[in-house]
Amino acid sequence: MNKPPTSVRRLYVLLVGYEVLPKSISTKGRGERFMMSEPICCYLLDTETGWVLLDAGFDPVYVRDPKLCHEYFHSVGVYPPIVTREDELPYQFAKLGIGFRDVGKIVVSHLHLDHVGYLKYFDHATVYIQREEHEHGFSSARPGSYFLADYDSPKIQWELKEGDWELQPGVTLLKTRGHTPGHQSAVIELPDSGIYVLPFDAGDLQENFDEEILPGESVDDADALSSIRRLNRIVRERQAKMLLFHDPVAIQRVKLAPDYYD
Ligand SMILES: [Zn+2]
């Protein structure tokens, strides 16, 4: 049976800020003496059935408001992210000539603070997440890297998924458990430039994939390693390219919005 053609026309990479952290947050057991400045991204898909957002960035209100910045970062010994005006999501949307209301579907890789910051402003969209991640995000077991205020809104229209699934032709999500209980990664098929794998936090850096290094934060090391291996296998077997979410070197070679991949 022939596969239906992809519904995706363009893939935009939006750089929405930087995090400042010890390297061991990205590479377990490696580099705790080295500070990294790692990009935070969002991905926007222009598709035949409308705009799809993959992850929702970091809300700069936590660094612009001194009280919030103290509460969420300084008081817990964490460096606040860096978000320039140009990094802000509304600014980047405006550059593309669209607004938040133009996005009908949002896929969330997991609920960490640097992936769902703007989610609360998209109460008209359907938000797709793994059931296990949703449960963890609302449980008392969630660590401080989950900012409940970003996603605990009765207005958010959740749709809970289990395991691998397809959003629409050309947009496939894979459950890549390990970094968090319900982490998922994306495989995007583009009309001309082929297949792109978006690992999100299954592996932050190229090093994670080249040397099979676990992410610094992991709820299950064996699962985290199988997720890295699975994504590597897809790249190999399907001649796919990887777009890394947090790699400060790789990001410099990425076409950033308003430029795009098609
Ligand atoms: Zn994460």
Tab-separated table of all heavy atoms in Angstrom, residues 25-51:
chain	number	residue	atom	x	y	z
A	25	ILE	N	23.765	18.488	33.126
A	25	ILE	CA	22.296	18.446	32.986
A	25	ILE	C	21.936	17.767	31.650
A	25	ILE	O	20.887	17.145	31.510
A	25	ILE	CB	21.706	19.886	33.010
A	25	ILE	CG1	21.973	20.567	34.352
A	25	ILE	CG2	20.219	19.893	32.669
A	25	ILE	CD1	21.087	20.129	35.503
A	26	SER	N	22.839	17.910	30.677
A	26	SER	CA	22.592	17.294	29.365
A	26	SER	C	23.281	15.947	29.211
A	26	SER	O	22.810	15.088	28.474
A	26	SER	CB	23.078	18.222	28.240
A	26	SER	OG	22.274	19.371	28.185
A	27	THR	N	24.433	15.783	29.867
A	27	THR	CA	25.199	14.537	29.717
A	27	THR	C	25.465	13.948	31.096
A	27	THR	O	26.278	14.470	31.854
A	27	THR	CB	26.542	14.813	28.979
A	27	THR	OG1	27.244	15.867	29.658
A	27	THR	CG2	26.318	15.220	27.537
A	28	LYS	N	24.760	12.891	31.390
A	28	LYS	CA	24.820	12.301	32.747
A	28	LYS	C	26.257	11.935	33.143
A	28	LYS	O	26.943	11.222	32.419
A	28	LYS	CB	23.941	11.056	32.790
A	28	LYS	CG	23.737	10.528	34.195
A	28	LYS	CD	22.592	9.552	34.257
A	28	LYS	CE	21.716	9.862	35.451
A	28	LYS	NZ	20.389	9.344	35.366
A	29	GLY	N	26.671	12.462	34.297
A	29	GLY	CA	27.991	12.115	34.815
A	29	GLY	C	29.149	12.777	34.092
A	29	GLY	O	30.309	12.453	34.342
A	30	ARG	N	28.876	13.681	33.178
A	30	ARG	CA	29.927	14.330	32.408
A	30	ARG	C	29.800	15.841	32.465
A	30	ARG	O	28.741	16.380	32.141
A	30	ARG	CB	29.766	13.981	30.922
A	30	ARG	CG	30.546	12.811	30.470
A	30	ARG	CD	30.577	12.810	28.945
A	30	ARG	NE	31.139	11.558	28.475
A	30	ARG	CZ	31.359	11.265	27.212
A	30	ARG	NH1	31.049	12.131	26.276
A	30	ARG	NH2	31.875	10.109	26.876
A	31	GLY	N	30.906	16.501	32.820
A	31	GLY	CA	31.011	17.934	32.609
A	31	GLY	C	30.322	18.823	33.622
A	31	GLY	O	29.904	19.928	33.287
A	32	GLU	N	30.235	18.395	34.882
A	32	GLU	CA	29.526	19.267	35.848
A	32	GLU	C	30.282	20.569	36.132
A	32	GLU	O	29.689	21.533	36.594
A	32	GLU	CB	29.161	18.522	37.152
A	32	GLU	CG	30.303	17.999	37.955
A	32	GLU	CD	30.500	16.502	37.725
A	32	GLU	OE1	30.504	16.051	36.554
A	32	GLU	OE2	30.670	15.790	38.721
A	33	ARG	N	31.596	20.614	35.820
A	33	ARG	CA	32.378	21.841	36.031
A	33	ARG	C	32.218	22.819	34.865
A	33	ARG	O	32.694	23.937	34.921
A	33	ARG	CB	33.862	21.486	36.190
A	33	ARG	CG	34.217	20.878	37.524
A	33	ARG	CD	34.326	21.919	38.655
A	33	ARG	NE	35.523	22.766	38.530
A	33	ARG	CZ	35.495	24.093	38.373
A	33	ARG	NH1	34.354	24.734	38.306
A	33	ARG	NH2	36.621	24.774	38.281
A	34	PHE	N	31.565	22.388	33.794
A	34	PHE	CA	31.475	23.239	32.600
A	34	PHE	C	30.077	23.818	32.442
A	34	PHE	O	29.089	23.074	32.443
A	34	PHE	CB	31.853	22.443	31.341
A	34	PHE	CG	33.219	21.818	31.452
A	34	PHE	CD1	33.365	20.445	31.350
A	34	PHE	CD2	34.344	22.587	31.707
A	34	PHE	CE1	34.613	19.851	31.485
A	34	PHE	CE2	35.596	22.005	31.844
A	34	PHE	CZ	35.734	20.634	31.732
A	35	MET	N	30.018	25.129	32.300
A	35	MET	CA	28.718	25.771	32.093
A	35	MET	C	28.423	25.843	30.598
A	35	MET	O	29.298	26.135	29.787
A	35	MET	CB	28.721	27.193	32.668
A	35	MET	CG	28.787	27.234	34.187
A	35	MET	SD	27.492	26.277	35.013
A	35	MET	CE	26.050	27.298	34.700
A	36	MET	N	27.161	25.589	30.263
A	36	MET	CA	26.719	25.630	28.870
A	36	MET	C	25.633	26.681	28.741
A	36	MET	O	24.889	26.949	29.690
A	36	MET	CB	26.105	24.288	28.461
A	36	MET	CG	27.020	23.108	28.579
A	36	MET	SD	28.133	22.986	27.189
A	36	MET	CE	27.053	22.191	25.995
A	37	SER	N	25.543	27.260	27.569
A	37	SER	CA	24.410	28.103	27.244
A	37	SER	C	23.694	27.399	26.097
A	37	SER	O	24.198	27.348	24.990
A	37	SER	CB	24.930	29.482	26.841
A	37	SER	OG	23.858	30.319	26.586
A	38	GLU	N	22.562	26.814	26.428
A	38	GLU	CA	21.894	25.924	25.457
A	38	GLU	C	20.613	26.544	24.916
A	38	GLU	O	19.800	27.074	25.679
A	38	GLU	CB	21.540	24.581	26.135
A	38	GLU	CG	22.761	23.809	26.581
A	38	GLU	CD	22.412	22.393	27.039
A	38	GLU	OE1	21.221	22.018	27.002
A	38	GLU	OE2	23.345	21.669	27.435
A	39	PRO	N	20.431	26.459	23.588
A	39	PRO	CA	19.218	27.031	22.998
A	39	PRO	C	17.947	26.318	23.450
A	39	PRO	O	17.973	25.146	23.813
A	39	PRO	CB	19.425	26.817	21.492
A	39	PRO	CG	20.422	25.715	21.382
A	39	PRO	CD	21.292	25.808	22.601
A	40	ILE	N	16.855	27.075	23.440
A	40	ILE	CA	15.503	26.528	23.624
A	40	ILE	C	14.788	26.769	22.296
A	40	ILE	O	14.823	27.889	21.777
A	40	ILE	CB	14.731	27.273	24.738
A	40	ILE	CG1	15.526	27.299	26.049
A	40	ILE	CG2	13.345	26.658	24.946
A	40	ILE	CD1	14.920	28.234	27.112
A	41	CYS	N	14.144	25.740	21.765
A	41	CYS	CA	13.485	25.875	20.454
A	41	CYS	C	11.998	25.560	20.552
A	41	CYS	O	11.522	24.974	21.523
A	41	CYS	CB	14.090	24.907	19.447
A	41	CYS	SG	15.842	25.167	19.140
A	42	CYS	N	11.293	25.967	19.510
A	42	CYS	CA	9.940	25.483	19.215
A	42	CYS	C	9.963	25.144	17.736
A	42	CYS	O	10.788	25.673	16.994
A	42	CYS	CB	8.892	26.579	19.359
A	42	CYS	SG	8.564	27.128	21.001
A	43	TYR	N	9.054	24.312	17.307
A	43	TYR	CA	8.947	24.018	15.881
A	43	TYR	C	7.522	24.323	15.445
A	43	TYR	O	6.567	24.001	16.156
A	43	TYR	CB	9.266	22.552	15.603
A	43	TYR	CG	10.611	22.138	16.157
A	43	TYR	CD1	10.700	21.441	17.361
A	43	TYR	CD2	11.788	22.472	15.492
A	43	TYR	CE1	11.933	21.075	17.886
A	43	TYR	CE2	13.028	22.110	16.012
A	43	TYR	CZ	13.092	21.409	17.210
A	43	TYR	OH	14.303	21.056	17.727
A	44	LEU	N	7.432	24.927	14.277
A	44	LEU	CA	6.123	25.280	13.757
A	44	LEU	C	5.980	24.627	12.390
A	44	LEU	O	6.892	24.724	11.555
A	44	LEU	CB	6.062	26.809	13.658
A	44	LEU	CG	4.726	27.484	13.452
A	44	LEU	CD1	3.723	27.130	14.540
A	44	LEU	CD2	4.926	28.999	13.411
A	45	LEU	N	4.869	23.946	12.179
A	45	LEU	CA	4.633	23.294	10.893
A	45	LEU	C	3.513	24.004	10.162
A	45	LEU	O	2.437	24.229	10.731
A	45	LEU	CB	4.231	21.828	11.092
A	45	LEU	CG	5.165	20.946	11.922
A	45	LEU	CD1	4.566	19.548	12.064
A	45	LEU	CD2	6.547	20.879	11.274
A	46	ASP	N	3.777	24.346	8.912
A	46	ASP	CA	2.732	24.849	8.032
A	46	ASP	C	2.212	23.624	7.278
A	46	ASP	O	2.961	23.001	6.533
A	46	ASP	CB	3.352	25.884	7.081
A	46	ASP	CG	2.350	26.408	6.075
A	46	ASP	OD1	1.140	26.150	6.242
A	46	ASP	OD2	2.790	27.073	5.118
A	47	THR	N	0.970	23.234	7.544
A	47	THR	CA	0.457	22.004	6.935
A	47	THR	C	-0.819	22.289	6.151
A	47	THR	O	-1.413	23.361	6.282
A	47	THR	CB	0.139	20.921	8.001
A	47	THR	OG1	-1.160	21.166	8.566
A	47	THR	CG2	1.174	20.888	9.109
A	48	GLU	N	-1.223	21.295	5.368
A	48	GLU	CA	-2.441	21.440	4.545
A	48	GLU	C	-3.680	21.676	5.392
A	48	GLU	O	-4.668	22.199	4.915
A	48	GLU	CB	-2.645	20.174	3.705
A	48	GLU	CG	-1.736	20.157	2.501
A	48	GLU	CD	-1.646	18.778	1.866
A	48	GLU	OE1	-2.416	17.871	2.258
A	48	GLU	OE2	-0.784	18.621	0.977
A	49	THR	N	-3.615	21.254	6.665
A	49	THR	CA	-4.793	21.421	7.519
A	49	THR	C	-4.563	22.469	8.611
A	49	THR	O	-5.260	22.478	9.620
A	49	THR	CB	-5.189	20.070	8.157
A	49	THR	OG1	-4.019	19.470	8.715
A	49	THR	CG2	-5.787	19.139	7.129
A	50	GLY	N	-3.555	23.317	8.427
A	50	GLY	CA	-3.347	24.419	9.377
A	50	GLY	C	-2.003	24.344	10.097
A	50	GLY	O	-1.194	23.446	9.848
A	51	TRP	N	-1.809	25.299	10.981
A	51	TRP	CA	-0.533	25.413	11.701
A	51	TRP	C	-0.489	24.462	12.889
A	51	TRP	O	-1.459	24.349	13.646
A	51	TRP	CB	-0.354	26.834	12.217
A	51	TRP	CG	-0.145	27.838	11.124
A	51	TRP	CD1	-1.106	28.594	10.513
A	51	TRP	CD2	1.092	28.188	10.502
A	51	TRP	NE1	-0.535	29.392	9.552
A	51	TRP	CE2	0.812	29.174	9.524
A	51	TRP	CE3	2.421	27.781	10.672
A	51	TRP	CZ2	1.804	29.746	8.722
A	51	TRP	CZ3	3.408	28.349	9.870
A	51	TRP	CH2	3.098	29.317	8.917
